[in-house]
Amino acid sequence: LHRLEAGTMVDNVPSQRVAGKIGNAVRLCGSSEYVSLPAGIVSGLSDFTVSAWVNSAAVPTWSRVFDFGTGTGVYMFLTVNAGGGPRFAITTAGSGGEQQLNSTGQLPLNTWTHLAVTLAGTTGTLYVNGTPVATNANMTLHPSSLGNTSQNWIGRSQFSDPFLNATVDDFQIYGHALSAAEVGALAGGQAGAGDVASYRFDEDAGVAVAG
């Protein structure tokens, strides 16, 4: 597997930076490449926002934008395609216990799309290009429910699902739920400023990601 690791230099693994939506971006090939984020990166969060720009070359079913967890029983993820479109899910009891946000529209290929997930109290919202496409007012699980997650990835699943075949830019994690106007500003091109993590992928190249 080809891994880029946030804040840590790993072995000399092939990596690629390309022109992004804002500065540079990381290109993930869809067969083996992913970004590994620090353990427990979201373990202290109740309300949160995760946002990113994604330019998909393909949208195979279950390919992940991100997946934070400890295996196939405890995780939270955003997939580009759950069969009918993007899905966010969080669970501490495997796939049968997922609390979900589902969009009904497939993402376009070879086009920059802004995706964001917010959770405020028990209300989760999934945004595509600044527009709310799914809301669930009965989400009782939060990132803190997952414990100290050890497998926190951009572009890779806890399951044996396809790797992400896309370019990713401006991946942000906030410790609160952004408002609809704030998400709209990000979708309009404003650079993110996540207070938990901010990965801009503006490095020229290499296997370390600043964040």
Side-chain angles (χ1 to χ4, degrees):
L1 298 178
H2 297 167
R3 177 176 63 178
L4 304 176
E5 193 151 316
T8 304
M9 184 64 71
V10 294
D11 292 338
N12 186 22
V13 178
S15 62
Q16 186 176 5
R17 303 296 191 279
V18 297
K21 181 68 177 181
I22 306 171
N24 287 345
V26 64
R27 176 73 179 97
L28 302 177
C29 67
S31 63
S32 59
E33 293 178 337
Y34 65 100
V35 180
S36 181
L37 305 185
I41 190 168
V42 296
S43 63
L45 302 184
S46 181
D47 292 358
F48 75 92
T49 301
V50 180
S51 69
W53 284 100
V54 177
N55 189 333
S56 299
V59 287
T61 307
W62 304 122
S63 180
R64 302 289 204 260
V65 177
F66 67 82
D67 197 331
F68 303 152
T70 54
T72 57
V74 177
Y75 55 79
M76 58 182 264
F77 71 74
L78 176 62
T79 178
V80 293
N81 182 10
R87 171 185 293 173
F88 170 78
I90 184 169
T91 184
T92 57
S95 58
E98 288 183 1
Q99 298 178 5
Q100 301 175 352
L101 296 164
N102 289 289
S103 172
T104 57
Q106 294 285 10
L107 298 183
L109 299 182
N110 305 309
T111 300
W112 283 106
T113 300
H114 189 265
L115 299 172
V117 178
T118 69
L119 182 63
T122 61
T123 300
T125 306
L126 173 62
Y127 294 85
V128 177
N129 288 327
T131 299
V133 295
T135 302
N136 182 343
N138 299 297
M139 301 190 75
T140 58
L141 295 174
H142 300 79
S144 59
S145 306
L146 308 179
N148 189 37
T149 56
S150 57
Q151 300 179 156
N152 304 302
W153 298 320
I154 299 172
R156 181 181 178 183
S157 170
Q158 305 293 326
F159 296 81
S160 298
D161 295 315
F163 284 76
L164 185 67
N165 186 355
T167 304
V168 180
D169 197 5
D170 205 48
F171 188 96
Q172 307 290 330
I173 304 175
Y174 298 81
H176 57 282
L178 295 183
S179 68
E182 289 171 322
V183 174
L186 295 178
Q190 176 180 296
D195 55 349
V196 175
S198 179
Y199 299 108
R200 301 185 185 280
F201 306 114
D202 282 342
E203 310 84 15
D204 290 334
V207 295
V209 175

